[in-house]
Amino acid sequence: AVVSTQSTGHILKSPTEFQDTLLKLSSEVKNRARVSTLYIGKGDAEQRIVDNLAASARQHGSDVSVIIDRYRGTRDGGFVLRELRRLGMVHLYQAPYWRRVWYRKPGFVGELLGVHHMKYYLFDDNVIISGANMSDIYFDQRQDRYFLIKSKQLADYICYFHHLHESCTRTWDLDNFQKSIWSTEALRVAATTSSYFSCNTPIENHPELRYMGPSDGDTFIFPLFQLPHFSVHQIDDALALLLSTANSNQRFTLSSGYFNPSKRLTSALKNTKSHVDLIIPSVEANGFYKGAHLKGYVPDLYNLLAIRTAKRCPNVSIHEYSRDEWSFHGKGLWSNDCTILGSSNFNRRSTLRDTEFALGIVTENENLKDALGAERDYLMSFTKILQSRFRPISVLGFPVMRNFL
């Protein structure tokens, strides 16, 4: 699918701007809202956003739908979501290949094996694409990427595939905490979504969403999906294509909050003719830094993976995001006139376990090009050259844990 639009895209720079934009747009909803995120936090800002959506549904009859992960999304009990749950507007998505025992006993194991990881926030015709969850820790000192665009065509498209995903979920009501047991019918519907996403059926079925040509706009948007359970790997495909067809005069910047490249990506990085700057968090800027028990060793494993990648891929320069009291969660790709941004960390989880969504954006708009370049330079300004920091004991868990990072 390709959506051509007059460039109305805007890059949000900071977590605070992301929060303020969510609060503003959610308070102005008149017709529809779609939220997809791993989980929703329990802070004051999240409560205000949810209350805004519930009020819009009651006062204006707005069509509101929220999809969160079955395991991570219900960890805190859903108190913040109680008003939307009362209206039947909260849906739980779970990887379809688990046996029923996993649905009845949510917990860390379920999260480890696969989660719903798509992040988008749609309010009428305004869409925010990000890698950030709707939670207070992402509103303060955790750097991510955030792209705001006003486009009815893109909003219609997202509503279409949101409906497809919703058909594979179970509604989380107020009475039953464990309603998310997949039925045979739900599994059948889920299995058919691959054909919709991979062949872009929505564009074929809706003439108003067809490619409209350069005369209608200067920015082209490619929705990209990752549904490993249904063998859809459009984000991986796009990244591999860009790297494999690049020449020695091109330069890419890649970023990931949790960099654990698949064999396919490692091969693409090793063989690309272009130079690649890779931004990853330092050990201290990793989201698992100072985590309890075994989680505390996760940043060491990511550091070890980065060291190995640097040795195997001579065209890759690895930079660590290091900023006092900040963590780094940004992910995406930058080139001269294009970017990929969304939920994928370009790692093994994204390839094998988690659902992901991203936009591939190609633009001829000079203002947007400059903004993308400024975004990349801003993130690079907080980086330093990769250093070996992993504790030797962490190597013991590497063979097992690598497939879950």
PDB file of all heavy atoms in Angstrom, residues 40 46-59 62 64-66 77-91 171-175:
ATOM      1  N   ILE A  40      -0.672   0.249  28.749  1.00  0.00           N
ATOM      2  CA  ILE A  40      -0.965   1.616  29.154  1.00  0.00           C
ATOM      3  C   ILE A  40      -0.626   1.755  30.627  1.00  0.00           C
ATOM      4  O   ILE A  40      -1.034   0.933  31.453  1.00  0.00           O
ATOM      5  CB  ILE A  40      -2.436   1.972  28.889  1.00  0.00           C
ATOM      6  CG1 ILE A  40      -2.684   1.999  27.371  1.00  0.00           C
ATOM      7  CG2 ILE A  40      -2.807   3.310  29.518  1.00  0.00           C
ATOM      8  CD1 ILE A  40      -4.120   2.277  26.981  1.00  0.00           C
ATOM      9  N   GLU A  46      -1.800   9.293  31.685  1.00  0.00           N
ATOM     10  CA  GLU A  46      -2.496   8.194  31.016  1.00  0.00           C
ATOM     11  C   GLU A  46      -3.981   8.190  31.393  1.00  0.00           C
ATOM     12  O   GLU A  46      -4.847   7.966  30.537  1.00  0.00           O
ATOM     13  CB  GLU A  46      -1.888   6.846  31.398  1.00  0.00           C
ATOM     14  CG  GLU A  46      -0.424   6.693  31.029  1.00  0.00           C
ATOM     15  CD  GLU A  46       0.486   7.052  32.176  1.00  0.00           C
ATOM     16  OE1 GLU A  46       0.522   8.248  32.556  1.00  0.00           O
ATOM     17  OE2 GLU A  46       1.160   6.160  32.704  1.00  0.00           O
ATOM     18  N   GLN A  47      -4.269   8.469  32.663  1.00  0.00           N
ATOM     19  CA  GLN A  47      -5.660   8.501  33.104  1.00  0.00           C
ATOM     20  C   GLN A  47      -6.431   9.605  32.391  1.00  0.00           C
ATOM     21  O   GLN A  47      -7.587   9.412  31.969  1.00  0.00           O
ATOM     22  CB  GLN A  47      -5.727   8.715  34.614  1.00  0.00           C
ATOM     23  CG  GLN A  47      -7.132   8.633  35.191  1.00  0.00           C
ATOM     24  CD  GLN A  47      -7.708   7.235  35.088  1.00  0.00           C
ATOM     25  OE1 GLN A  47      -7.306   6.343  35.816  1.00  0.00           O
ATOM     26  NE2 GLN A  47      -8.647   7.039  34.163  1.00  0.00           N
ATOM     27  N   ARG A  48      -5.807  10.755  32.206  1.00  0.00           N
ATOM     28  CA  ARG A  48      -6.470  11.868  31.522  1.00  0.00           C
ATOM     29  C   ARG A  48      -6.734  11.535  30.056  1.00  0.00           C
ATOM     30  O   ARG A  48      -7.808  11.867  29.515  1.00  0.00           O
ATOM     31  CB  ARG A  48      -5.614  13.128  31.635  1.00  0.00           C
ATOM     32  CG  ARG A  48      -5.565  13.724  33.041  1.00  0.00           C
ATOM     33  CD  ARG A  48      -4.442  14.725  33.197  1.00  0.00           C
ATOM     34  NE  ARG A  48      -4.547  15.837  32.267  1.00  0.00           N
ATOM     35  CZ  ARG A  48      -3.556  16.705  32.042  1.00  0.00           C
ATOM     36  NH1 ARG A  48      -2.390  16.551  32.632  1.00  0.00           N
ATOM     37  NH2 ARG A  48      -3.734  17.693  31.184  1.00  0.00           N
ATOM     38  N   ILE A  49      -5.783  10.875  29.403  1.00  0.00           N
ATOM     39  CA  ILE A  49      -5.982  10.490  28.003  1.00  0.00           C
ATOM     40  C   ILE A  49      -7.143   9.502  27.876  1.00  0.00           C
ATOM     41  O   ILE A  49      -8.024   9.647  27.023  1.00  0.00           O
ATOM     42  CB  ILE A  49      -4.687   9.876  27.429  1.00  0.00           C
ATOM     43  CG1 ILE A  49      -3.581  10.930  27.374  1.00  0.00           C
ATOM     44  CG2 ILE A  49      -4.937   9.302  26.030  1.00  0.00           C
ATOM     45  CD1 ILE A  49      -2.203  10.356  27.099  1.00  0.00           C
ATOM     46  N   VAL A  50      -7.157   8.498  28.740  1.00  0.00           N
ATOM     47  CA  VAL A  50      -8.239   7.510  28.721  1.00  0.00           C
ATOM     48  C   VAL A  50      -9.576   8.171  29.024  1.00  0.00           C
ATOM     49  O   VAL A  50     -10.597   7.886  28.373  1.00  0.00           O
ATOM     50  CB  VAL A  50      -7.945   6.376  29.719  1.00  0.00           C
ATOM     51  CG1 VAL A  50      -9.171   5.477  29.888  1.00  0.00           C
ATOM     52  CG2 VAL A  50      -6.751   5.552  29.257  1.00  0.00           C
ATOM     53  N   ASP A  51      -9.596   9.065  30.006  1.00  0.00           N
ATOM     54  CA  ASP A  51     -10.837   9.773  30.348  1.00  0.00           C
ATOM     55  C   ASP A  51     -11.325  10.620  29.172  1.00  0.00           C
ATOM     56  O   ASP A  51     -12.544  10.721  28.933  1.00  0.00           O
ATOM     57  CB  ASP A  51     -10.622  10.648  31.581  1.00  0.00           C
ATOM     58  CG  ASP A  51     -10.473   9.839  32.861  1.00  0.00           C
ATOM     59  OD1 ASP A  51     -10.799   8.630  32.839  1.00  0.00           O
ATOM     60  OD2 ASP A  51     -10.022  10.412  33.870  1.00  0.00           O
ATOM     61  N   ASN A  52     -10.388  11.234  28.441  1.00  0.00           N
ATOM     62  CA  ASN A  52     -10.768  12.009  27.251  1.00  0.00           C
ATOM     63  C   ASN A  52     -11.468  11.133  26.224  1.00  0.00           C
ATOM     64  O   ASN A  52     -12.487  11.521  25.633  1.00  0.00           O
ATOM     65  CB  ASN A  52      -9.534  12.654  26.621  1.00  0.00           C
ATOM     66  CG  ASN A  52      -8.984  13.829  27.412  1.00  0.00           C
ATOM     67  OD1 ASN A  52      -9.678  14.399  28.251  1.00  0.00           O
ATOM     68  ND2 ASN A  52      -7.743  14.179  27.157  1.00  0.00           N
ATOM     69  N   LEU A  53     -10.925   9.937  26.002  1.00  0.00           N
ATOM     70  CA  LEU A  53     -11.514   9.034  25.012  1.00  0.00           C
ATOM     71  C   LEU A  53     -12.879   8.528  25.472  1.00  0.00           C
ATOM     72  O   LEU A  53     -13.816   8.429  24.666  1.00  0.00           O
ATOM     73  CB  LEU A  53     -10.566   7.861  24.754  1.00  0.00           C
ATOM     74  CG  LEU A  53      -9.206   8.211  24.142  1.00  0.00           C
ATOM     75  CD1 LEU A  53      -8.369   6.958  23.948  1.00  0.00           C
ATOM     76  CD2 LEU A  53      -9.376   8.944  22.818  1.00  0.00           C
ATOM     77  N   ALA A  54     -12.988   8.208  26.753  1.00  0.00           N
ATOM     78  CA  ALA A  54     -14.274   7.741  27.272  1.00  0.00           C
ATOM     79  C   ALA A  54     -15.330   8.844  27.181  1.00  0.00           C
ATOM     80  O   ALA A  54     -16.490   8.576  26.825  1.00  0.00           O
ATOM     81  CB  ALA A  54     -14.110   7.276  28.720  1.00  0.00           C
ATOM     82  N   ALA A  55     -14.930  10.076  27.479  1.00  0.00           N
ATOM     83  CA  ALA A  55     -15.865  11.194  27.395  1.00  0.00           C
ATOM     84  C   ALA A  55     -16.316  11.428  25.955  1.00  0.00           C
ATOM     85  O   ALA A  55     -17.493  11.706  25.697  1.00  0.00           O
ATOM     86  CB  ALA A  55     -15.213  12.460  27.951  1.00  0.00           C
ATOM     87  N   SER A  56     -15.387  11.301  25.005  1.00  0.00           N
ATOM     88  CA  SER A  56     -15.741  11.480  23.602  1.00  0.00           C
ATOM     89  C   SER A  56     -16.722  10.396  23.149  1.00  0.00           C
ATOM     90  O   SER A  56     -17.663  10.668  22.392  1.00  0.00           O
ATOM     91  CB  SER A  56     -14.479  11.435  22.737  1.00  0.00           C
ATOM     92  OG  SER A  56     -14.794  11.554  21.382  1.00  0.00           O
ATOM     93  N   ALA A  57     -16.512   9.163  23.618  1.00  0.00           N
ATOM     94  CA  ALA A  57     -17.421   8.068  23.246  1.00  0.00           C
ATOM     95  C   ALA A  57     -18.817   8.323  23.785  1.00  0.00           C
ATOM     96  O   ALA A  57     -19.819   8.052  23.112  1.00  0.00           O
ATOM     97  CB  ALA A  57     -16.876   6.751  23.786  1.00  0.00           C
ATOM     98  N   ARG A  58     -18.893   8.841  24.995  1.00  0.00           N
ATOM     99  CA  ARG A  58     -20.206   9.074  25.614  1.00  0.00           C
ATOM    100  C   ARG A  58     -20.899  10.312  25.045  1.00  0.00           C
ATOM    101  O   ARG A  58     -22.101  10.293  24.785  1.00  0.00           O
ATOM    102  CB  ARG A  58     -20.028   9.235  27.123  1.00  0.00           C
ATOM    103  CG  ARG A  58     -19.728   7.922  27.854  1.00  0.00           C
ATOM    104  CD  ARG A  58     -19.975   8.085  29.350  1.00  0.00           C
ATOM    105  NE  ARG A  58     -19.904   6.809  30.037  1.00  0.00           N
ATOM    106  CZ  ARG A  58     -18.843   6.363  30.690  1.00  0.00           C
ATOM    107  NH1 ARG A  58     -17.747   7.104  30.725  1.00  0.00           N
ATOM    108  NH2 ARG A  58     -18.853   5.198  31.297  1.00  0.00           N
ATOM    109  N   GLN A  59     -20.152  11.392  24.857  1.00  0.00           N
ATOM    110  CA  GLN A  59     -20.753  12.665  24.466  1.00  0.00           C
ATOM    111  C   GLN A  59     -20.979  12.781  22.961  1.00  0.00           C
ATOM    112  O   GLN A  59     -21.952  13.396  22.518  1.00  0.00           O
ATOM    113  CB  GLN A  59     -19.861  13.816  24.948  1.00  0.00           C
ATOM    114  CG  GLN A  59     -19.753  13.908  26.461  1.00  0.00           C
ATOM    115  CD  GLN A  59     -18.698  14.917  26.918  1.00  0.00           C
ATOM    116  OE1 GLN A  59     -18.222  15.735  26.117  1.00  0.00           O
ATOM    117  NE2 GLN A  59     -18.323  14.853  28.186  1.00  0.00           N
ATOM    118  N   SER A  62     -18.287   8.717  19.677  1.00  0.00           N
ATOM    119  CA  SER A  62     -17.067   8.391  18.944  1.00  0.00           C
ATOM    120  C   SER A  62     -16.792   6.894  18.978  1.00  0.00           C
ATOM    121  O   SER A  62     -17.061   6.213  19.972  1.00  0.00           O
ATOM    122  CB  SER A  62     -15.866   9.146  19.534  1.00  0.00           C
ATOM    123  OG  SER A  62     -16.063  10.540  19.452  1.00  0.00           O
ATOM    124  N   VAL A  64     -14.313   4.275  19.503  1.00  0.00           N
ATOM    125  CA  VAL A  64     -13.029   4.160  20.186  1.00  0.00           C
ATOM    126  C   VAL A  64     -12.668   2.689  20.353  1.00  0.00           C
ATOM    127  O   VAL A  64     -13.515   1.868  20.718  1.00  0.00           O
ATOM    128  CB  VAL A  64     -13.070   4.842  21.574  1.00  0.00           C
ATOM    129  CG1 VAL A  64     -11.744   4.658  22.306  1.00  0.00           C
ATOM    130  CG2 VAL A  64     -13.395   6.324  21.427  1.00  0.00           C
ATOM    131  N   SER A  65     -11.415   2.356  20.067  1.00  0.00           N
ATOM    132  CA  SER A  65     -10.940   0.987  20.250  1.00  0.00           C
ATOM    133  C   SER A  65      -9.480   1.011  20.682  1.00  0.00           C
ATOM    134  O   SER A  65      -8.663   1.729  20.104  1.00  0.00           O
ATOM    135  CB  SER A  65     -11.091   0.184  18.950  1.00  0.00           C
ATOM    136  OG  SER A  65     -10.545  -1.113  19.099  1.00  0.00           O
ATOM    137  N   VAL A  66      -9.174   0.221  21.708  1.00  0.00           N
ATOM    138  CA  VAL A  66      -7.809   0.116  22.239  1.00  0.00           C
ATOM    139  C   VAL A  66      -7.390  -1.351  22.198  1.00  0.00           C
ATOM    140  O   VAL A  66      -8.125  -2.221  22.662  1.00  0.00           O
ATOM    141  CB  VAL A  66      -7.732   0.638  23.692  1.00  0.00           C
ATOM    142  CG1 VAL A  66      -6.331   0.422  24.264  1.00  0.00           C
ATOM    143  CG2 VAL A  66      -8.122   2.109  23.755  1.00  0.00           C
ATOM    144  N   GLY A  77      -3.610  -4.674  36.280  1.00  0.00           N
ATOM    145  CA  GLY A  77      -5.003  -4.818  36.646  1.00  0.00           C
ATOM    146  C   GLY A  77      -5.992  -3.985  35.866  1.00  0.00           C
ATOM    147  O   GLY A  77      -7.198  -4.141  36.019  1.00  0.00           O
ATOM    148  N   GLY A  78      -5.506  -3.049  35.044  1.00  0.00           N
ATOM    149  CA  GLY A  78      -6.394  -2.293  34.168  1.00  0.00           C
ATOM    150  C   GLY A  78      -7.234  -1.236  34.848  1.00  0.00           C
ATOM    151  O   GLY A  78      -8.262  -0.819  34.314  1.00  0.00           O
ATOM    152  N   PHE A  79      -6.791  -0.741  36.018  1.00  0.00           N
ATOM    153  CA  PHE A  79      -7.601   0.247  36.730  1.00  0.00           C
ATOM    154  C   PHE A  79      -7.769   1.524  35.916  1.00  0.00           C
ATOM    155  O   PHE A  79      -8.862   2.102  35.864  1.00  0.00           O
ATOM    156  CB  PHE A  79      -6.958   0.555  38.089  1.00  0.00           C
ATOM    157  CG  PHE A  79      -7.752   1.510  38.933  1.00  0.00           C
ATOM    158  CD1 PHE A  79      -8.908   1.093  39.578  1.00  0.00           C
ATOM    159  CD2 PHE A  79      -7.349   2.829  39.076  1.00  0.00           C
ATOM    160  CE1 PHE A  79      -9.646   1.981  40.357  1.00  0.00           C
ATOM    161  CE2 PHE A  79      -8.082   3.718  39.850  1.00  0.00           C
ATOM    162  CZ  PHE A  79      -9.226   3.293  40.493  1.00  0.00           C
ATOM    163  N   VAL A  80      -6.677   1.983  35.276  1.00  0.00           N
ATOM    164  CA  VAL A  80      -6.743   3.207  34.476  1.00  0.00           C
ATOM    165  C   VAL A  80      -7.752   3.068  33.337  1.00  0.00           C
ATOM    166  O   VAL A  80      -8.428   4.031  32.963  1.00  0.00           O
ATOM    167  CB  VAL A  80      -5.344   3.557  33.926  1.00  0.00           C
ATOM    168  CG1 VAL A  80      -5.428   4.631  32.846  1.00  0.00           C
ATOM    169  CG2 VAL A  80      -4.437   4.026  35.054  1.00  0.00           C
ATOM    170  N   LEU A  81      -7.912   1.856  32.825  1.00  0.00           N
ATOM    171  CA  LEU A  81      -8.774   1.614  31.663  1.00  0.00           C
ATOM    172  C   LEU A  81     -10.216   1.288  32.023  1.00  0.00           C
ATOM    173  O   LEU A  81     -10.996   0.927  31.152  1.00  0.00           O
ATOM    174  CB  LEU A  81      -8.199   0.464  30.833  1.00  0.00           C
ATOM    175  CG  LEU A  81      -6.914   0.758  30.056  1.00  0.00           C
ATOM    176  CD1 LEU A  81      -6.247  -0.541  29.613  1.00  0.00           C
ATOM    177  CD2 LEU A  81      -7.193   1.645  28.862  1.00  0.00           C
ATOM    178  N   ARG A  82     -10.568   1.416  33.281  1.00  0.00           N
ATOM    179  CA  ARG A  82     -11.872   0.889  33.727  1.00  0.00           C
ATOM    180  C   ARG A  82     -13.048   1.494  32.968  1.00  0.00           C
ATOM    181  O   ARG A  82     -14.026   0.793  32.673  1.00  0.00           O
ATOM    182  CB  ARG A  82     -12.040   1.096  35.233  1.00  0.00           C
ATOM    183  CG  ARG A  82     -12.058   2.543  35.684  1.00  0.00           C
ATOM    184  CD  ARG A  82     -11.925   2.656  37.205  1.00  0.00           C
ATOM    185  NE  ARG A  82     -11.981   4.032  37.667  1.00  0.00           N
ATOM    186  CZ  ARG A  82     -10.955   4.875  37.621  1.00  0.00           C
ATOM    187  NH1 ARG A  82      -9.796   4.483  37.108  1.00  0.00           N
ATOM    188  NH2 ARG A  82     -11.073   6.105  38.062  1.00  0.00           N
ATOM    189  N   GLU A  83     -12.997   2.794  32.630  1.00  0.00           N
ATOM    190  CA  GLU A  83     -14.125   3.417  31.927  1.00  0.00           C
ATOM    191  C   GLU A  83     -14.261   2.878  30.506  1.00  0.00           C
ATOM    192  O   GLU A  83     -15.374   2.610  30.047  1.00  0.00           O
ATOM    193  CB  GLU A  83     -13.960   4.940  31.909  1.00  0.00           C
ATOM    194  CG  GLU A  83     -14.157   5.592  33.265  1.00  0.00           C
ATOM    195  CD  GLU A  83     -15.517   5.276  33.856  1.00  0.00           C
ATOM    196  OE1 GLU A  83     -16.522   5.345  33.129  1.00  0.00           O
ATOM    197  OE2 GLU A  83     -15.582   4.964  35.063  1.00  0.00           O
ATOM    198  N   LEU A  84     -13.142   2.710  29.822  1.00  0.00           N
ATOM    199  CA  LEU A  84     -13.198   2.149  28.478  1.00  0.00           C
ATOM    200  C   LEU A  84     -13.551   0.669  28.526  1.00  0.00           C
ATOM    201  O   LEU A  84     -14.233   0.154  27.626  1.00  0.00           O
ATOM    202  CB  LEU A  84     -11.865   2.352  27.757  1.00  0.00           C
ATOM    203  CG  LEU A  84     -11.529   3.787  27.332  1.00  0.00           C
ATOM    204  CD1 LEU A  84     -10.182   3.830  26.641  1.00  0.00           C
ATOM    205  CD2 LEU A  84     -12.618   4.355  26.403  1.00  0.00           C
ATOM    206  N   ARG A  85     -13.117  -0.036  29.553  1.00  0.00           N
ATOM    207  CA  ARG A  85     -13.496  -1.446  29.694  1.00  0.00           C
ATOM    208  C   ARG A  85     -15.008  -1.564  29.913  1.00  0.00           C
ATOM    209  O   ARG A  85     -15.659  -2.466  29.384  1.00  0.00           O
ATOM    210  CB  ARG A  85     -12.747  -2.071  30.866  1.00  0.00           C
ATOM    211  CG  ARG A  85     -11.262  -2.282  30.607  1.00  0.00           C
ATOM    212  CD  ARG A  85     -10.527  -2.709  31.867  1.00  0.00           C
ATOM    213  NE  ARG A  85     -11.012  -3.995  32.348  1.00  0.00           N
ATOM    214  CZ  ARG A  85     -10.746  -4.486  33.551  1.00  0.00           C
ATOM    215  NH1 ARG A  85     -10.012  -3.775  34.411  1.00  0.00           N
ATOM    216  NH2 ARG A  85     -11.206  -5.663  33.905  1.00  0.00           N
ATOM    217  N   ARG A  86     -15.566  -0.641  30.670  1.00  0.00           N
ATOM    218  CA  ARG A  86     -17.010  -0.659  30.909  1.00  0.00           C
ATOM    219  C   ARG A  86     -17.789  -0.473  29.606  1.00  0.00           C
ATOM    220  O   ARG A  86     -18.892  -1.011  29.442  1.00  0.00           O
ATOM    221  CB  ARG A  86     -17.373   0.444  31.909  1.00  0.00           C
ATOM    222  CG  ARG A  86     -18.837   0.460  32.314  1.00  0.00           C
ATOM    223  CD  ARG A  86     -19.108   1.464  33.430  1.00  0.00           C
ATOM    224  NE  ARG A  86     -18.609   0.982  34.709  1.00  0.00           N
ATOM    225  CZ  ARG A  86     -17.603   1.545  35.402  1.00  0.00           C
ATOM    226  NH1 ARG A  86     -16.985   2.617  34.908  1.00  0.00           N
ATOM    227  NH2 ARG A  86     -17.209   1.062  36.547  1.00  0.00           N
ATOM    228  N   LEU A  87     -17.182   0.265  28.667  1.00  0.00           N
ATOM    229  CA  LEU A  87     -17.820   0.503  27.376  1.00  0.00           C
ATOM    230  C   LEU A  87     -17.480  -0.578  26.353  1.00  0.00           C
ATOM    231  O   LEU A  87     -17.919  -0.502  25.197  1.00  0.00           O
ATOM    232  CB  LEU A  87     -17.388   1.877  26.831  1.00  0.00           C
ATOM    233  CG  LEU A  87     -17.826   3.102  27.654  1.00  0.00           C
ATOM    234  CD1 LEU A  87     -17.153   4.357  27.126  1.00  0.00           C
ATOM    235  CD2 LEU A  87     -19.341   3.252  27.619  1.00  0.00           C
ATOM    236  N   GLY A  88     -16.685  -1.572  26.750  1.00  0.00           N
ATOM    237  CA  GLY A  88     -16.331  -2.659  25.840  1.00  0.00           C
ATOM    238  C   GLY A  88     -15.360  -2.247  24.755  1.00  0.00           C
ATOM    239  O   GLY A  88     -15.400  -2.785  23.641  1.00  0.00           O
ATOM    240  N   MET A  89     -14.460  -1.300  25.057  1.00  0.00           N
ATOM    241  CA  MET A  89     -13.579  -0.744  24.038  1.00  0.00           C
ATOM    242  C   MET A  89     -12.119  -1.139  24.201  1.00  0.00           C
ATOM    243  O   MET A  89     -11.250  -0.614  23.502  1.00  0.00           O
ATOM    244  CB  MET A  89     -13.703   0.789  24.041  1.00  0.00           C
ATOM    245  CG  MET A  89     -15.078   1.288  23.640  1.00  0.00           C
ATOM    246  SD  MET A  89     -15.234   3.072  23.740  1.00  0.00           S
ATOM    247  CE  MET A  89     -16.865   3.304  22.997  1.00  0.00           C
ATOM    248  N   VAL A  90     -11.821  -2.053  25.127  1.00  0.00           N
ATOM    249  CA  VAL A  90     -10.446  -2.500  25.344  1.00  0.00           C
ATOM    250  C   VAL A  90     -10.330  -3.955  24.913  1.00  0.00           C
ATOM    251  O   VAL A  90     -11.123  -4.799  25.345  1.00  0.00           O
ATOM    252  CB  VAL A  90     -10.023  -2.336  26.814  1.00  0.00           C
ATOM    253  CG1 VAL A  90      -8.587  -2.799  27.012  1.00  0.00           C
ATOM    254  CG2 VAL A  90     -10.178  -0.885  27.263  1.00  0.00           C
ATOM    255  N   HIS A  91      -9.332  -4.239  24.090  1.00  0.00           N
ATOM    256  CA  HIS A  91      -9.188  -5.569  23.499  1.00  0.00           C
ATOM    257  C   HIS A  91      -7.793  -6.114  23.774  1.00  0.00           C
ATOM    258  O   HIS A  91      -6.801  -5.388  23.682  1.00  0.00           O
ATOM    259  CB  HIS A  91      -9.456  -5.505  21.990  1.00  0.00           C
ATOM    260  CG  HIS A  91     -10.753  -4.848  21.654  1.00  0.00           C
ATOM    261  ND1 HIS A  91     -11.956  -5.522  21.658  1.00  0.00           N
ATOM    262  CD2 HIS A  91     -11.042  -3.560  21.344  1.00  0.00           C
ATOM    263  CE1 HIS A  91     -12.925  -4.682  21.345  1.00  0.00           C
ATOM    264  NE2 HIS A  91     -12.396  -3.490  21.142  1.00  0.00           N
ATOM    265  N   THR A 171     -12.492  -9.097  24.115  1.00  0.00           N
ATOM    266  CA  THR A 171     -12.779  -7.874  24.864  1.00  0.00           C
ATOM    267  C   THR A 171     -12.480  -8.084  26.347  1.00  0.00           C
ATOM    268  O   THR A 171     -12.846  -9.102  26.933  1.00  0.00           O
ATOM    269  CB  THR A 171     -14.247  -7.470  24.674  1.00  0.00           C
ATOM    270  OG1 THR A 171     -14.495  -7.271  23.285  1.00  0.00           O
ATOM    271  CG2 THR A 171     -14.549  -6.184  25.432  1.00  0.00           C
ATOM    272  N   TRP A 172     -11.825  -7.092  26.927  1.00  0.00           N
ATOM    273  CA  TRP A 172     -11.492  -7.142  28.350  1.00  0.00           C
ATOM    274  C   TRP A 172     -12.559  -6.368  29.120  1.00  0.00           C
ATOM    275  O   TRP A 172     -12.530  -5.151  29.188  1.00  0.00           O
ATOM    276  CB  TRP A 172     -10.113  -6.543  28.577  1.00  0.00           C
ATOM    277  CG  TRP A 172      -9.575  -6.732  29.974  1.00  0.00           C
ATOM    278  CD1 TRP A 172     -10.003  -7.619  30.899  1.00  0.00           C
ATOM    279  CD2 TRP A 172      -8.500  -6.006  30.571  1.00  0.00           C
ATOM    280  NE1 TRP A 172      -9.262  -7.510  32.050  1.00  0.00           N
ATOM    281  CE2 TRP A 172      -8.331  -6.530  31.873  1.00  0.00           C
ATOM    282  CE3 TRP A 172      -7.667  -4.975  30.138  1.00  0.00           C
ATOM    283  CZ2 TRP A 172      -7.359  -6.045  32.746  1.00  0.00           C
ATOM    284  CZ3 TRP A 172      -6.693  -4.497  30.997  1.00  0.00           C
ATOM    285  CH2 TRP A 172      -6.545  -5.024  32.288  1.00  0.00           C
ATOM    286  N   ASP A 173     -13.515  -7.084  29.682  1.00  0.00           N
ATOM    287  CA  ASP A 173     -14.584  -6.399  30.397  1.00  0.00           C
ATOM    288  C   ASP A 173     -14.232  -6.266  31.874  1.00  0.00           C
ATOM    289  O   ASP A 173     -13.151  -6.640  32.326  1.00  0.00           O
ATOM    290  CB  ASP A 173     -15.917  -7.108  30.199  1.00  0.00           C
ATOM    291  CG  ASP A 173     -15.913  -8.533  30.733  1.00  0.00           C
ATOM    292  OD1 ASP A 173     -15.085  -8.834  31.618  1.00  0.00           O
ATOM    293  OD2 ASP A 173     -16.728  -9.341  30.263  1.00  0.00           O
ATOM    294  N   LEU A 174     -15.145  -5.728  32.670  1.00  0.00           N
ATOM    295  CA  LEU A 174     -14.879  -5.470  34.089  1.00  0.00           C
ATOM    296  C   LEU A 174     -15.074  -6.689  34.964  1.00  0.00           C
ATOM    297  O   LEU A 174     -14.610  -6.725  36.103  1.00  0.00           O
ATOM    298  CB  LEU A 174     -15.788  -4.339  34.597  1.00  0.00           C
ATOM    299  CG  LEU A 174     -15.466  -2.943  34.085  1.00  0.00           C
ATOM    300  CD1 LEU A 174     -16.514  -1.965  34.584  1.00  0.00           C
ATOM    301  CD2 LEU A 174     -14.091  -2.497  34.532  1.00  0.00           C
ATOM    302  N   ASP A 175     -15.732  -7.708  34.458  1.00  0.00           N
ATOM    303  CA  ASP A 175     -16.111  -8.824  35.311  1.00  0.00           C
ATOM    304  C   ASP A 175     -15.142  -9.990  35.265  1.00  0.00           C
ATOM    305  O   ASP A 175     -15.002 -10.720  36.247  1.00  0.00           O
ATOM    306  CB  ASP A 175     -17.511  -9.337  34.912  1.00  0.00           C
ATOM    307  CG  ASP A 175     -18.555  -8.241  35.070  1.00  0.00           C
ATOM    308  OD1 ASP A 175     -18.462  -7.485  36.051  1.00  0.00           O
ATOM    309  OD2 ASP A 175     -19.442  -8.157  34.207  1.00  0.00           O
TER     310      ASP A 175
END
